[in-house]
Amino acid sequence: MKVSQFRFLSKDQLRMLALSICMGYAIIGILCITFAPHGKLSRSAMENKRFIASSPSWLDRQVCRWFGICGAMNWLRLPRKTPGSRAAPSEKSSKLPDHPPHDFTDAWIDPTADPNSWSKNERGLRKIPGYVFDYAPLIHLYGHEKFWPSDLAEHLEHTYAKLDDDTIPDFKLNLWNLADLNEYEGGRNVFLTSKDDPESEPEWLLSPHNIPGVPGSDPNQVFESTPGKRKGRKNMKAQARKEGWALVRPKYSAHEEEMKPIEGDVDSEGEEPAFEVKIPSIHFTEGDPQRVLRQRRRSSSTQVSNKTEEAGQGLRSNAPAFLICIDKGDGIVDAFWFYFYSFNEGNSVFGITFGNHVGDWEHTMVRFQNGEPKAVYLSRHAWGSVYSYDALEKIGNRPVVYAGDGSHAHYPAAGRQNYVLPLGLLHDTTSKGPLWDPAQNAKSYTYDPDSDNLRASMLNPRAPTSWFHFAGRWGDKHYDLSDHRQYRFLGEYHYGNGPSGPKFKHLRRGALDERDKCNIMDYVD
């Protein structure tokens, strides 16, 4: 049945349809429980059993076990939201704080790094091609956003490490020791747990001090952008494969001494290529390693698009973005841009909110072939979408991406973005809110997946790398049913687990998306 056909159904019929789907799900769940083999339980099955047993109510435990409706009384006590909407931002989440933001510069300097000991070849492996910045994405955040970009260092200051439900004692979190937590069961069951109740909306979780913008700038300033393509092929994957950039077989060297700098880098006697953001020629010196970043910020002059709404013009955020550049051989380079938020606000269906979690990682990836941008991957919830570079809206040469309200999921245009359920029952909203230029404050790295070696680039040679290798979760573990904030309907949690980090986002992918299932859209519908 097409979405348009649902318009002919009455409200009562829609309610019956939704109820029928829920009942069908419950019946399937009962059959699975009844006829499932009773061998050794998997870890997830044991965790589910423990979760159900955590409810103090016998009735709640039975309803949860047999019908998949868990914590109904908790849900009834929580404030309702309008279906398909998120809570309105509070004043403290939409205005810059009166006090200056805390300076985390020192937190981003690894005291164990020794750039002066690097060989000429090693320095070459740490250089980023100029074209990566020429085509760096720009992000329109939602105009009425509540949870803004966050600094990892500030996030760690307000969290502590737990192994499942047990606190890991005497471990002070920082960006250059985080991978040490992998000593605890491989790190996969370690959760960076909030010291504050997320429902109280502490300032670090909202991060209003990281709203992109320059104090005193004109919020009505208008810049020109080029619209994305509205007509084209729905899927240009066949052509992309013929040209050799849709599905590549990554070629990494197992012997790092044989590796070569990415083509387009600066050689030892050359000059830095021209950058769209006018990053100056940078060669490492023994002076302050942060000098290059300060110089880069002062000289940045990127042009931005159309009038931005509500929260101001934007551009630079105090929260750094993360560039991870990977050479996959045969002229193919993938430039991953990662963005971190301290909270992900879930969406609401029939007044039931799913998908809240502390910590949120989103990313875009630009694939280059011989220095030319070919396609852009946009992460979105548990999946993503792929567009040809030509299809997207641009500011100069730089593609423009829109982040959804609360979820920060990425889309190619402003407006209502339906997903999963018909009739827009589940949707994100995007707008031309503050424009974030990640290139103006980025921690940049090169990465070799075969040797699992992440290198701080020559733009920030003392940037820590341990945080990248942390195998655990960047937020709380899902709360128990005994917690008044928690419920779970049809397998979906009100408060879910925090996300895993960038290392676990399929960086070595040969396809443009994780499973090579996305169409490569050549227009924006």
Side-chain angles (χ1 to χ4, degrees):
M1 182 179 288
K2 296 182 180 179
V3 173
S4 59
Q5 292 177 286
F6 283 97
R7 297 173 183 170
F8 299 101
L9 299 178
S10 67
K11 290 184 178 179
D12 289 338
Q13 289 173 320
L14 288 173
R15 291 192 185 98
M16 287 300 298
L17 176 62
L19 181 61
S20 299
I21 293 173
C22 293
M23 290 181 63
Y25 183 94
I27 292 171
I28 292 172
I30 292 172
L31 292 175
C32 290
I33 293 173
T34 303
F35 297 104
H38 298 286
K40 184 178 179 180
L41 294 177
S42 66
R43 181 180 179 86
S44 60
M46 292 175 63
E47 177 59 35
N48 181 61
K49 186 176 182 179
R50 189 203 62 78
F51 174 78
I52 296 173
S54 70
S55 174
S57 167
W58 178 87
L59 179 60
D60 186 36
R61 293 195 298 271
Q62 303 312 309
V63 173
C64 179
R65 180 175 292 112
W66 292 101
F67 297 99
I69 301 174
C70 312
M73 294 307 296
N74 290 344
W75 172 71
L76 290 172
R77 297 188 189 102
L78 291 172
R80 300 278 77 77
K81 291 183 182 180
T82 303
S85 70
R86 293 179 171 86
S90 60
E91 182 175 342
K92 66 180 180 178
S93 72
S94 56
K95 290 187 177 181
L96 290 171
D98 296 331
H99 57 84
H102 185 70
D103 184 5
F104 290 98
T105 301
D106 291 343
W108 282 100
I109 301 176
D110 185 347
T112 65
D114 184 17
N116 294 310
S117 67
W118 295 342
S119 67
K120 177 181 176 180
N121 184 62
E122 178 64 24
R123 295 186 187 188
L125 294 172
R126 294 173 181 267
K127 291 175 181 175
I128 305 292
Y131 56 76
V132 168
F133 290 94
D134 285 340
Y135 302 99
L138 296 163
I139 311 294
H140 264 303
L141 299 170
Y142 183 60
H144 292 292
E145 182 56 66
K146 189 175 183 179
F147 300 98
W148 301 95
S150 304
D151 191 317
L152 293 188
E154 183 174 17
H155 188 79
L156 294 183
E157 196 172 80
H158 295 278
T159 57
Y160 64 99
K162 293 181 71 174
L163 179 62
D164 280 326
D165 300 306
D166 300 320
T167 300
I168 297 176
D170 304 321
F171 195 99
K172 181 175 175 55
L173 303 176
N174 61 56
L175 293 161
W176 57 86
N177 75 353
L178 212 57
D180 293 345
L181 291 170
N182 295 344
E183 297 176 4
Y184 297 88
E185 297 183 6
R188 295 303 176 94
N189 300 309
V190 175
F191 294 82
L192 303 184
T193 305
S194 172
K195 296 177 182 178
D196 302 294
D197 178 5
E199 304 255 319
S200 69
E201 297 184 354
E203 185 177 289
W204 67 271
L205 207 69
L206 303 172
S207 299
H209 44 283
N210 295 327
I211 297 175
V214 180
S217 62
D218 179 8
N220 296 314
Q221 188 173 4
V222 179
F223 298 87
E224 294 301 320
S225 67
T226 304
K229 292 171 62 177
R230 295 297 176 182
K231 293 183 179 180
R233 284 169 292 178
K234 186 175 182 180
N235 188 4
M236 58 177 299
K237 186 179 290 186
Q239 176 186 336
R241 286 186 171 177
K242 184 177 180 181
E243 294 176 358
W245 54 267
L247 181 62
V248 300
R249 298 188 182 279
K251 298 177 181 179
Y252 310 113
S253 174
H255 305 285
E256 294 183 10
E257 62 272 15
E258 298 176 2
M259 293 175 65
K260 298 179 180 179
I262 299 174
E263 186 175 349
D265 285 343
V266 184
D267 60 29
S268 59
E269 298 178 358
E271 295 182 355
E272 194 78 30
F275 283 51
E276 179 71 17
V277 293
K278 289 186 169 59
I279 299 175
S281 179
I282 296 172
H283 298 278
F284 177 75
T285 66
E286 296 183 7
D288 178 8
Q290 294 300 306
R291 177 182 61 81
V292 291
L293 287 177
R294 291 195 294 269
Q295 186 180 14
R296 176 177 173 182
R297 293 164 188 161
R298 287 196 298 268
S299 62
S300 180
S301 60
T302 304
Q303 294 297 298
V304 300
S305 78
N306 300 329
K307 178 179 177 180
T308 56
E309 301 170 356
E310 294 95 8
Q313 172 186 334
L315 288 185
R316 184 187 184 278
S317 172
N318 292 320
F322 305 91
L323 168 62
I324 299 175
C325 200
I326 306 176
D327 181 5
K328 295 187 173 175
D330 294 332
I332 301 296
V333 171
D334 284 349
F336 289 86
W337 291 87
F338 282 91
Y339 320 99
F340 182 74
Y341 307 80
S342 281
F343 193 77
N344 179 96
E345 185 178 21
N347 217 321
S348 179
V349 181
F350 299 122
I352 304 171
T353 302
F354 301 109
N356 288 345
H357 52 82
V358 176
D360 185 25
W361 282 103
E362 301 292 342
H363 71 279
T364 55
M365 184 266 278
V366 183
R367 172 158 291 179
F368 296 91
Q369 184 181 46
N370 300 321
E372 180 183 351
K374 291 296 186 178
V376 182
Y377 172 84
L378 310 181
S379 69
R380 184 182 308 159
H381 301 291
W383 61 93
S385 57
V386 180
Y387 293 85
S388 69
Y389 167 77
D390 292 335
L392 297 177
E393 176 187 348
K394 295 175 192 66
I395 298 163
N397 293 326
R398 300 177 64 180
V400 178
V401 179
Y402 292 80
D405 57 324
S407 74
H408 314 116
H410 290 150
Y411 297 91
R416 182 186 177 109
Q417 314 291 346
N418 299 337
Y419 66 96
V420 180
L421 298 181
L423 302 174
L425 294 176
L426 200 59
H427 68 268
D428 290 316
T429 306
T430 57
S431 74
K432 284 185 178 291
L435 187 68
W436 181 15
D437 182 358
Q440 291 200 32
N441 183 12
K443 307 300 179 186
S444 54
Y445 301 85
T446 62
Y447 182 53
D448 174 33
D450 269 1
S451 63
D452 193 23
N453 193 345
L454 182 77
R455 292 175 166 90
S457 82
M458 295 304 296
L459 293 171
N460 37 235
R462 287 194 173 93
T465 58
S466 181
W467 65 269
F468 173 82
H469 296 287
F470 170 56
R473 302 295 190 125
W474 286 85
D476 298 15
K477 182 180 179 180
H478 65 72
Y479 304 141
D480 286 339
L481 271 178
S482 57
D483 192 311
H484 72 279
R485 299 167 294 182
Q486 184 66 296
Y487 55 79
R488 187 183 75 184
F489 291 168
L490 307 180
E492 297 294 330
Y493 291 89
H494 180 219
Y495 274 94
N497 292 332
S500 55
K503 182 176 177 177
F504 306 95
K505 306 302 183 186
H506 306 279
L507 299 183
R508 66 180 302 136
R509 70 185 74 163
L512 283 153
D513 63 295
E514 292 93 331
R515 297 180 298 274
D516 190 29
K517 291 185 177 181
C518 288
N519 291 338
I520 303 175
M521 299 287 289
D522 196 32
Y523 69 99
V524 176
D525 54 13

